[in-house]
Amino acid sequence: MKKQWWKESVIYQIYPRSFMDSNGDGIGDIPGIISKLDYLKELGIDVIWLSPVFKSPNDDNGYDISDYRDIMDDFGTMADWELLLKEMHERGLKLIMDLVVNHSSDEHNWFVESRKSKDNPYRDYYIWRPGKDGKEPNNWESVFSGSAWQYDETTEEYYLHLFSKKQPDLNWENPKLRQEVYDMMKFWLDKGIDGFRMDVINFISKVDGLPDAPNPEGKPYVSGSKFFMNGPKIHDYLQEMNREVLSHYDAMTVGEMPGASVELAKLYTNEERNETNMIFQFEHVDLDSGPEGKWDLRPLKLTDLKKSFTKWQNGLEGEGWNSLYLNNHDQPRMVSRFGNDQEFRIVSAKMLATFLHMLKGTPYIYQGEEIGMTNVRFDSIEEYQDIETLNMYNEKVIQNGEDPAKVMESIYVKGRDNARTPFQWDGTDHGGFTTGTPWLKVNQNYKEINAKLAVEDEHSIYHYYRKLIQLRKEHPIIVHGSYEILVPEDENVYAYTRTYESHTLLVVLNFSAQNQTFEVPAELQGKKDEILIANYSGHETLQTTIALKPYEAIVYQIHN
């Protein structure tokens, strides 16, 4: 497989609304990001993925775009954005932007025109259907609860919205629409950006006829995902996008693809097929969901996590490329979910970082992860802002009379606002994020957990991340080595090796709050070794048995 800059990079995701506010209106903005670029450069990352900053009425925090070629007023101006790009490139940092083209905002000019009449030139930019038996065209449920169809009185038809009703789905069957998307991509690439993170890109091809989904329990609405995830023309569209646009630039792409299997990921990321460089798959972040979906909580088994990561590591070996993440703007904080955010917050955050950064693939750091930010517990539903959370609460509690305390518990564990509380810069009011009132309350632990303390303490999570990122630049084995799992049935210890040329890395991780032991395989004993990184001090060279403290992580480099 070819060596590529994006394989060797570490990518940092910024959620602009919550990163840094420069003007005291309580909302993070582009000048705020510019003011913190030196912090990110010092961390050692190579690429920033910027969540959407385009014009938007903000029904879904910027993922509902009303103008793809302009900047949201909350965040600043196009001149601010151009300065951001210039300042980043001057520091050797690359920028990837969000490409949100499964849907637009209902306030986008295309949709404003589309809904005017059935023969409007823009009608076919969206998916319109007449009702069926006085009801919606089919029984699909929106990802954000309720029907995926919205009735529009002007033309007495329904439009499809797989997300919010203010996010009508674009009709990719229409070649004119596709050309508009490609022109818009060129607009940003010509400005000098370095690639795209493609929002739910595997939803853009829908099955002909948009059939009803199987509904054995007779629910009002059910998931129609089998008819729009990884649909019939998805590979054609991605290859066309590559031909028309991406092949003309040195740009990286990562496709967000819920429901993508390893087999599909091989097709999506194989270098010969020219579709995407890597994808975000969701298997590992669905392991603690019960049969009723993400809000149906169940404990995570380490053996399930191992099985999932091992399947992806081995499945894409030599054929595709993995993206590596444990949290983002849609997922809870990783130290709260996979680690221990109380007694062992610092060591478990370092352990999880070691786990992820030593795997094969491109690691993604979500803002605040590098200082060990945690999930939040707001006192009441009124303090939450996320549309998915509020819709779910309304449906379960207000409409169906479920126990509010139980529903709040699932929000504390899984709600998207866990990741969206403002970045904790220092111990001043609102964590130094804003001089005003923040759009979403700051987690009240900001006095103990903040970037200022982390940067000043050489033993902090932040400095541990710096070291992990530095190691990746110094040791090709971390980028290119092949992966092999050890002790797959152990419920507490995750151990694996990476092998490249004449070197082996042995990565040993205790995922529990108790002491554990690990027996070193005979073939790795008695060779020259050194410790690359560890989250506790005082280790000797490799013994036959390794005694592990709670959430301990050790990486040995073994010279064969």
PDB file of all heavy atoms in Angstrom, residues 130-158:
ATOM      1  N   PRO A 130     -46.141  11.946  -3.278  1.00  0.00           N
ATOM      2  CA  PRO A 130     -47.513  12.106  -2.771  1.00  0.00           C
ATOM      3  C   PRO A 130     -47.748  11.154  -1.593  1.00  0.00           C
ATOM      4  O   PRO A 130     -47.035  10.168  -1.441  1.00  0.00           O
ATOM      5  CB  PRO A 130     -48.378  11.691  -3.972  1.00  0.00           C
ATOM      6  CG  PRO A 130     -47.494  10.836  -4.830  1.00  0.00           C
ATOM      7  CD  PRO A 130     -46.083  11.264  -4.573  1.00  0.00           C
ATOM      8  N   GLY A 131     -48.732  11.497  -0.766  1.00  0.00           N
ATOM      9  CA  GLY A 131     -49.056  10.610   0.358  1.00  0.00           C
ATOM     10  C   GLY A 131     -49.661   9.296  -0.120  1.00  0.00           C
ATOM     11  O   GLY A 131     -49.968   9.119  -1.303  1.00  0.00           O
ATOM     12  N   LYS A 132     -49.806   8.358   0.842  1.00  0.00           N
ATOM     13  CA  LYS A 132     -50.360   7.040   0.511  1.00  0.00           C
ATOM     14  C   LYS A 132     -51.465   6.751   1.516  1.00  0.00           C
ATOM     15  O   LYS A 132     -51.213   6.749   2.733  1.00  0.00           O
ATOM     16  CB  LYS A 132     -49.237   5.992   0.626  1.00  0.00           C
ATOM     17  CG  LYS A 132     -49.471   4.739  -0.185  1.00  0.00           C
ATOM     18  CD  LYS A 132     -48.218   3.876  -0.286  1.00  0.00           C
ATOM     19  CE  LYS A 132     -47.872   3.191   1.022  1.00  0.00           C
ATOM     20  NZ  LYS A 132     -46.636   2.407   0.978  1.00  0.00           N
ATOM     21  N   ASP A 133     -52.679   6.542   1.041  1.00  0.00           N
ATOM     22  CA  ASP A 133     -53.825   6.265   1.925  1.00  0.00           C
ATOM     23  C   ASP A 133     -53.960   7.322   3.022  1.00  0.00           C
ATOM     24  O   ASP A 133     -54.169   7.002   4.195  1.00  0.00           O
ATOM     25  CB  ASP A 133     -53.683   4.867   2.582  1.00  0.00           C
ATOM     26  CG  ASP A 133     -53.429   3.778   1.540  1.00  0.00           C
ATOM     27  OD1 ASP A 133     -53.984   3.913   0.429  1.00  0.00           O
ATOM     28  OD2 ASP A 133     -52.677   2.831   1.836  1.00  0.00           O
ATOM     29  N   GLY A 134     -53.804   8.586   2.617  1.00  0.00           N
ATOM     30  CA  GLY A 134     -53.974   9.668   3.585  1.00  0.00           C
ATOM     31  C   GLY A 134     -52.842   9.792   4.595  1.00  0.00           C
ATOM     32  O   GLY A 134     -52.966  10.525   5.580  1.00  0.00           O
ATOM     33  N   LYS A 135     -51.757   9.053   4.368  1.00  0.00           N
ATOM     34  CA  LYS A 135     -50.622   9.106   5.308  1.00  0.00           C
ATOM     35  C   LYS A 135     -49.323   9.344   4.545  1.00  0.00           C
ATOM     36  O   LYS A 135     -49.324   9.584   3.340  1.00  0.00           O
ATOM     37  CB  LYS A 135     -50.528   7.782   6.083  1.00  0.00           C
ATOM     38  CG  LYS A 135     -51.655   7.590   7.086  1.00  0.00           C
ATOM     39  CD  LYS A 135     -51.309   6.530   8.145  1.00  0.00           C
ATOM     40  CE  LYS A 135     -50.787   5.251   7.504  1.00  0.00           C
ATOM     41  NZ  LYS A 135     -51.016   4.069   8.348  1.00  0.00           N
ATOM     42  N   GLU A 136     -48.208   9.240   5.273  1.00  0.00           N
ATOM     43  CA  GLU A 136     -46.895   9.443   4.654  1.00  0.00           C
ATOM     44  C   GLU A 136     -46.651   8.414   3.544  1.00  0.00           C
ATOM     45  O   GLU A 136     -47.237   7.327   3.548  1.00  0.00           O
ATOM     46  CB  GLU A 136     -45.783   9.301   5.702  1.00  0.00           C
ATOM     47  CG  GLU A 136     -45.816  10.331   6.800  1.00  0.00           C
ATOM     48  CD  GLU A 136     -46.636   9.924   8.010  1.00  0.00           C
ATOM     49  OE1 GLU A 136     -47.283   8.851   7.994  1.00  0.00           O
ATOM     50  OE2 GLU A 136     -46.649  10.699   8.981  1.00  0.00           O
ATOM     51  N   PRO A 137     -45.722   8.741   2.614  1.00  0.00           N
ATOM     52  CA  PRO A 137     -45.411   7.836   1.495  1.00  0.00           C
ATOM     53  C   PRO A 137     -44.879   6.464   1.936  1.00  0.00           C
ATOM     54  O   PRO A 137     -45.049   5.479   1.229  1.00  0.00           O
ATOM     55  CB  PRO A 137     -44.349   8.596   0.698  1.00  0.00           C
ATOM     56  CG  PRO A 137     -44.569  10.041   1.046  1.00  0.00           C
ATOM     57  CD  PRO A 137     -45.042  10.055   2.464  1.00  0.00           C
ATOM     58  N   ASN A 138     -44.177   6.415   3.063  1.00  0.00           N
ATOM     59  CA  ASN A 138     -43.789   5.108   3.617  1.00  0.00           C
ATOM     60  C   ASN A 138     -43.630   5.227   5.130  1.00  0.00           C
ATOM     61  O   ASN A 138     -43.873   6.286   5.714  1.00  0.00           O
ATOM     62  CB  ASN A 138     -42.515   4.543   2.933  1.00  0.00           C
ATOM     63  CG  ASN A 138     -41.255   5.333   3.257  1.00  0.00           C
ATOM     64  OD1 ASN A 138     -41.159   5.970   4.302  1.00  0.00           O
ATOM     65  ND2 ASN A 138     -40.282   5.305   2.358  1.00  0.00           N
ATOM     66  N   ASN A 139     -43.224   4.114   5.775  1.00  0.00           N
ATOM     67  CA  ASN A 139     -43.220   4.063   7.242  1.00  0.00           C
ATOM     68  C   ASN A 139     -41.847   4.334   7.855  1.00  0.00           C
ATOM     69  O   ASN A 139     -41.585   3.964   8.993  1.00  0.00           O
ATOM     70  CB  ASN A 139     -43.743   2.696   7.714  1.00  0.00           C
ATOM     71  CG  ASN A 139     -42.828   1.543   7.269  1.00  0.00           C
ATOM     72  OD1 ASN A 139     -41.826   1.759   6.583  1.00  0.00           O
ATOM     73  ND2 ASN A 139     -43.166   0.320   7.670  1.00  0.00           N
ATOM     74  N   TRP A 140     -40.938   4.962   7.115  1.00  0.00           N
ATOM     75  CA  TRP A 140     -39.592   5.182   7.646  1.00  0.00           C
ATOM     76  C   TRP A 140     -39.612   6.160   8.822  1.00  0.00           C
ATOM     77  O   TRP A 140     -40.324   7.165   8.798  1.00  0.00           O
ATOM     78  CB  TRP A 140     -38.653   5.748   6.583  1.00  0.00           C
ATOM     79  CG  TRP A 140     -38.408   4.824   5.429  1.00  0.00           C
ATOM     80  CD1 TRP A 140     -38.923   3.567   5.224  1.00  0.00           C
ATOM     81  CD2 TRP A 140     -37.580   5.106   4.291  1.00  0.00           C
ATOM     82  NE1 TRP A 140     -38.466   3.045   4.034  1.00  0.00           N
ATOM     83  CE2 TRP A 140     -37.637   3.970   3.446  1.00  0.00           C
ATOM     84  CE3 TRP A 140     -36.802   6.188   3.914  1.00  0.00           C
ATOM     85  CZ2 TRP A 140     -36.937   3.900   2.242  1.00  0.00           C
ATOM     86  CZ3 TRP A 140     -36.098   6.134   2.715  1.00  0.00           C
ATOM     87  CH2 TRP A 140     -36.168   4.990   1.888  1.00  0.00           C
ATOM     88  N   GLU A 141     -38.749   5.856   9.776  1.00  0.00           N
ATOM     89  CA  GLU A 141     -38.592   6.727  10.945  1.00  0.00           C
ATOM     90  C   GLU A 141     -37.370   7.621  10.750  1.00  0.00           C
ATOM     91  O   GLU A 141     -36.352   7.184  10.222  1.00  0.00           O
ATOM     92  CB  GLU A 141     -38.390   5.862  12.194  1.00  0.00           C
ATOM     93  CG  GLU A 141     -38.259   6.671  13.469  1.00  0.00           C
ATOM     94  CD  GLU A 141     -38.166   5.779  14.711  1.00  0.00           C
ATOM     95  OE1 GLU A 141     -37.440   4.775  14.684  1.00  0.00           O
ATOM     96  OE2 GLU A 141     -38.833   6.110  15.700  1.00  0.00           O
ATOM     97  N   SER A 142     -37.490   8.866  11.190  1.00  0.00           N
ATOM     98  CA  SER A 142     -36.332   9.770  11.162  1.00  0.00           C
ATOM     99  C   SER A 142     -35.318   9.331  12.220  1.00  0.00           C
ATOM    100  O   SER A 142     -35.688   8.794  13.261  1.00  0.00           O
ATOM    101  CB  SER A 142     -36.810  11.189  11.461  1.00  0.00           C
ATOM    102  OG  SER A 142     -35.782  11.941  12.065  1.00  0.00           O
ATOM    103  N   VAL A 143     -34.035   9.581  11.938  1.00  0.00           N
ATOM    104  CA  VAL A 143     -32.981   9.310  12.929  1.00  0.00           C
ATOM    105  C   VAL A 143     -33.266  10.096  14.215  1.00  0.00           C
ATOM    106  O   VAL A 143     -32.899   9.663  15.310  1.00  0.00           O
ATOM    107  CB  VAL A 143     -31.597   9.695  12.346  1.00  0.00           C
ATOM    108  CG1 VAL A 143     -30.492   9.553  13.377  1.00  0.00           C
ATOM    109  CG2 VAL A 143     -31.287   8.852  11.112  1.00  0.00           C
ATOM    110  N   PHE A 144     -33.939  11.243  14.087  1.00  0.00           N
ATOM    111  CA  PHE A 144     -34.251  12.082  15.245  1.00  0.00           C
ATOM    112  C   PHE A 144     -35.686  11.865  15.751  1.00  0.00           C
ATOM    113  O   PHE A 144     -36.298  12.784  16.285  1.00  0.00           O
ATOM    114  CB  PHE A 144     -34.055  13.569  14.908  1.00  0.00           C
ATOM    115  CG  PHE A 144     -32.622  13.968  14.652  1.00  0.00           C
ATOM    116  CD1 PHE A 144     -32.332  15.142  13.972  1.00  0.00           C
ATOM    117  CD2 PHE A 144     -31.561  13.180  15.080  1.00  0.00           C
ATOM    118  CE1 PHE A 144     -31.011  15.529  13.743  1.00  0.00           C
ATOM    119  CE2 PHE A 144     -30.240  13.558  14.847  1.00  0.00           C
ATOM    120  CZ  PHE A 144     -29.962  14.734  14.175  1.00  0.00           C
ATOM    121  N   SER A 145     -36.242  10.661  15.562  1.00  0.00           N
ATOM    122  CA  SER A 145     -37.580  10.270  16.042  1.00  0.00           C
ATOM    123  C   SER A 145     -38.696  10.792  15.116  1.00  0.00           C
ATOM    124  O   SER A 145     -38.518  11.771  14.398  1.00  0.00           O
ATOM    125  CB  SER A 145     -37.878  10.761  17.461  1.00  0.00           C
ATOM    126  OG  SER A 145     -36.792  10.529  18.319  1.00  0.00           O
ATOM    127  N   GLY A 146     -39.856  10.112  15.175  1.00  0.00           N
ATOM    128  CA  GLY A 146     -41.000  10.509  14.344  1.00  0.00           C
ATOM    129  C   GLY A 146     -40.821  10.091  12.892  1.00  0.00           C
ATOM    130  O   GLY A 146     -39.866   9.404  12.536  1.00  0.00           O
ATOM    131  N   SER A 147     -41.747  10.524  12.044  1.00  0.00           N
ATOM    132  CA  SER A 147     -41.708  10.154  10.629  1.00  0.00           C
ATOM    133  C   SER A 147     -40.542  10.831   9.903  1.00  0.00           C
ATOM    134  O   SER A 147     -40.140  11.937  10.262  1.00  0.00           O
ATOM    135  CB  SER A 147     -43.007  10.569   9.942  1.00  0.00           C
ATOM    136  OG  SER A 147     -42.896  10.395   8.537  1.00  0.00           O
ATOM    137  N   ALA A 148     -40.031  10.145   8.868  1.00  0.00           N
ATOM    138  CA  ALA A 148     -38.974  10.733   8.026  1.00  0.00           C
ATOM    139  C   ALA A 148     -39.572  11.573   6.896  1.00  0.00           C
ATOM    140  O   ALA A 148     -38.851  11.993   5.993  1.00  0.00           O
ATOM    141  CB  ALA A 148     -38.101   9.622   7.454  1.00  0.00           C
ATOM    142  N   TRP A 149     -40.883  11.813   6.942  1.00  0.00           N
ATOM    143  CA  TRP A 149     -41.558  12.595   5.899  1.00  0.00           C
ATOM    144  C   TRP A 149     -42.247  13.804   6.514  1.00  0.00           C
ATOM    145  O   TRP A 149     -42.778  13.722   7.617  1.00  0.00           O
ATOM    146  CB  TRP A 149     -42.607  11.745   5.191  1.00  0.00           C
ATOM    147  CG  TRP A 149     -42.016  10.616   4.402  1.00  0.00           C
ATOM    148  CD1 TRP A 149     -41.813   9.333   4.828  1.00  0.00           C
ATOM    149  CD2 TRP A 149     -41.528  10.671   3.060  1.00  0.00           C
ATOM    150  NE1 TRP A 149     -41.232   8.588   3.830  1.00  0.00           N
ATOM    151  CE2 TRP A 149     -41.048   9.380   2.730  1.00  0.00           C
ATOM    152  CE3 TRP A 149     -41.453  11.691   2.092  1.00  0.00           C
ATOM    153  CZ2 TRP A 149     -40.503   9.077   1.486  1.00  0.00           C
ATOM    154  CZ3 TRP A 149     -40.910  11.392   0.847  1.00  0.00           C
ATOM    155  CH2 TRP A 149     -40.440  10.092   0.554  1.00  0.00           C
ATOM    156  N   GLN A 150     -42.246  14.889   5.780  1.00  0.00           N
ATOM    157  CA  GLN A 150     -42.941  16.097   6.222  1.00  0.00           C
ATOM    158  C   GLN A 150     -43.894  16.555   5.122  1.00  0.00           C
ATOM    159  O   GLN A 150     -43.488  16.708   3.967  1.00  0.00           O
ATOM    160  CB  GLN A 150     -41.923  17.202   6.538  1.00  0.00           C
ATOM    161  CG  GLN A 150     -42.519  18.522   6.990  1.00  0.00           C
ATOM    162  CD  GLN A 150     -43.202  18.430   8.350  1.00  0.00           C
ATOM    163  OE1 GLN A 150     -42.917  17.521   9.137  1.00  0.00           O
ATOM    164  NE2 GLN A 150     -44.134  19.333   8.622  1.00  0.00           N
ATOM    165  N   TYR A 151     -45.153  16.774   5.506  1.00  0.00           N
ATOM    166  CA  TYR A 151     -46.154  17.229   4.539  1.00  0.00           C
ATOM    167  C   TYR A 151     -45.967  18.718   4.276  1.00  0.00           C
ATOM    168  O   TYR A 151     -45.696  19.490   5.188  1.00  0.00           O
ATOM    169  CB  TYR A 151     -47.554  16.970   5.098  1.00  0.00           C
ATOM    170  CG  TYR A 151     -48.670  17.330   4.140  1.00  0.00           C
ATOM    171  CD1 TYR A 151     -48.850  16.596   2.965  1.00  0.00           C
ATOM    172  CD2 TYR A 151     -49.540  18.396   4.399  1.00  0.00           C
ATOM    173  CE1 TYR A 151     -49.871  16.921   2.071  1.00  0.00           C
ATOM    174  CE2 TYR A 151     -50.563  18.721   3.523  1.00  0.00           C
ATOM    175  CZ  TYR A 151     -50.718  17.984   2.351  1.00  0.00           C
ATOM    176  OH  TYR A 151     -51.735  18.298   1.472  1.00  0.00           O
ATOM    177  N   ASP A 152     -46.078  19.105   3.027  1.00  0.00           N
ATOM    178  CA  ASP A 152     -45.922  20.511   2.665  1.00  0.00           C
ATOM    179  C   ASP A 152     -47.175  20.970   1.928  1.00  0.00           C
ATOM    180  O   ASP A 152     -47.494  20.460   0.849  1.00  0.00           O
ATOM    181  CB  ASP A 152     -44.684  20.682   1.783  1.00  0.00           C
ATOM    182  CG  ASP A 152     -44.260  22.141   1.719  1.00  0.00           C
ATOM    183  OD1 ASP A 152     -43.982  22.724   2.786  1.00  0.00           O
ATOM    184  OD2 ASP A 152     -44.205  22.695   0.609  1.00  0.00           O
ATOM    185  N   GLU A 153     -47.886  21.922   2.507  1.00  0.00           N
ATOM    186  CA  GLU A 153     -49.216  22.280   1.987  1.00  0.00           C
ATOM    187  C   GLU A 153     -49.180  22.932   0.618  1.00  0.00           C
ATOM    188  O   GLU A 153     -50.113  22.786  -0.174  1.00  0.00           O
ATOM    189  CB  GLU A 153     -49.943  23.200   2.981  1.00  0.00           C
ATOM    190  CG  GLU A 153     -50.456  22.409   4.174  1.00  0.00           C
ATOM    191  CD  GLU A 153     -51.194  23.271   5.190  1.00  0.00           C
ATOM    192  OE1 GLU A 153     -51.189  24.513   5.019  1.00  0.00           O
ATOM    193  OE2 GLU A 153     -51.753  22.695   6.129  1.00  0.00           O
ATOM    194  N   THR A 154     -48.097  23.653   0.320  1.00  0.00           N
ATOM    195  CA  THR A 154     -48.057  24.395  -0.949  1.00  0.00           C
ATOM    196  C   THR A 154     -48.332  23.478  -2.137  1.00  0.00           C
ATOM    197  O   THR A 154     -49.125  23.806  -3.015  1.00  0.00           O
ATOM    198  CB  THR A 154     -46.675  25.076  -1.125  1.00  0.00           C
ATOM    199  OG1 THR A 154     -46.351  25.737   0.094  1.00  0.00           O
ATOM    200  CG2 THR A 154     -46.708  26.093  -2.247  1.00  0.00           C
ATOM    201  N   THR A 155     -47.656  22.329  -2.187  1.00  0.00           N
ATOM    202  CA  THR A 155     -47.846  21.423  -3.332  1.00  0.00           C
ATOM    203  C   THR A 155     -48.553  20.131  -2.919  1.00  0.00           C
ATOM    204  O   THR A 155     -48.671  19.208  -3.717  1.00  0.00           O
ATOM    205  CB  THR A 155     -46.500  21.065  -3.973  1.00  0.00           C
ATOM    206  OG1 THR A 155     -45.663  20.478  -2.967  1.00  0.00           O
ATOM    207  CG2 THR A 155     -45.814  22.288  -4.554  1.00  0.00           C
ATOM    208  N   GLU A 156     -48.992  20.063  -1.660  1.00  0.00           N
ATOM    209  CA  GLU A 156     -49.721  18.892  -1.143  1.00  0.00           C
ATOM    210  C   GLU A 156     -48.947  17.600  -1.346  1.00  0.00           C
ATOM    211  O   GLU A 156     -49.510  16.562  -1.711  1.00  0.00           O
ATOM    212  CB  GLU A 156     -51.126  18.816  -1.774  1.00  0.00           C
ATOM    213  CG  GLU A 156     -51.971  20.053  -1.471  1.00  0.00           C
ATOM    214  CD  GLU A 156     -53.357  19.980  -2.080  1.00  0.00           C
ATOM    215  OE1 GLU A 156     -53.480  19.480  -3.221  1.00  0.00           O
ATOM    216  OE2 GLU A 156     -54.315  20.421  -1.412  1.00  0.00           O
ATOM    217  N   GLU A 157     -47.628  17.674  -1.144  1.00  0.00           N
ATOM    218  CA  GLU A 157     -46.806  16.459  -1.179  1.00  0.00           C
ATOM    219  C   GLU A 157     -45.885  16.431   0.047  1.00  0.00           C
ATOM    220  O   GLU A 157     -45.785  17.424   0.774  1.00  0.00           O
ATOM    221  CB  GLU A 157     -45.963  16.401  -2.468  1.00  0.00           C
ATOM    222  CG  GLU A 157     -46.773  16.006  -3.687  1.00  0.00           C
ATOM    223  CD  GLU A 157     -45.913  15.561  -4.872  1.00  0.00           C
ATOM    224  OE1 GLU A 157     -44.708  15.892  -4.921  1.00  0.00           O
ATOM    225  OE2 GLU A 157     -46.466  14.896  -5.755  1.00  0.00           O
ATOM    226  N   TYR A 158     -45.234  15.292   0.212  1.00  0.00           N
ATOM    227  CA  TYR A 158     -44.308  15.122   1.336  1.00  0.00           C
ATOM    228  C   TYR A 158     -42.863  15.149   0.819  1.00  0.00           C
ATOM    229  O   TYR A 158     -42.593  14.675  -0.282  1.00  0.00           O
ATOM    230  CB  TYR A 158     -44.502  13.748   1.979  1.00  0.00           C
ATOM    231  CG  TYR A 158     -45.792  13.547   2.726  1.00  0.00           C
ATOM    232  CD1 TYR A 158     -46.971  13.203   2.050  1.00  0.00           C
ATOM    233  CD2 TYR A 158     -45.831  13.636   4.121  1.00  0.00           C
ATOM    234  CE1 TYR A 158     -48.162  12.975   2.739  1.00  0.00           C
ATOM    235  CE2 TYR A 158     -47.009  13.404   4.819  1.00  0.00           C
ATOM    236  CZ  TYR A 158     -48.173  13.082   4.134  1.00  0.00           C
ATOM    237  OH  TYR A 158     -49.337  12.850   4.829  1.00  0.00           O
TER     238      TYR A 158
END
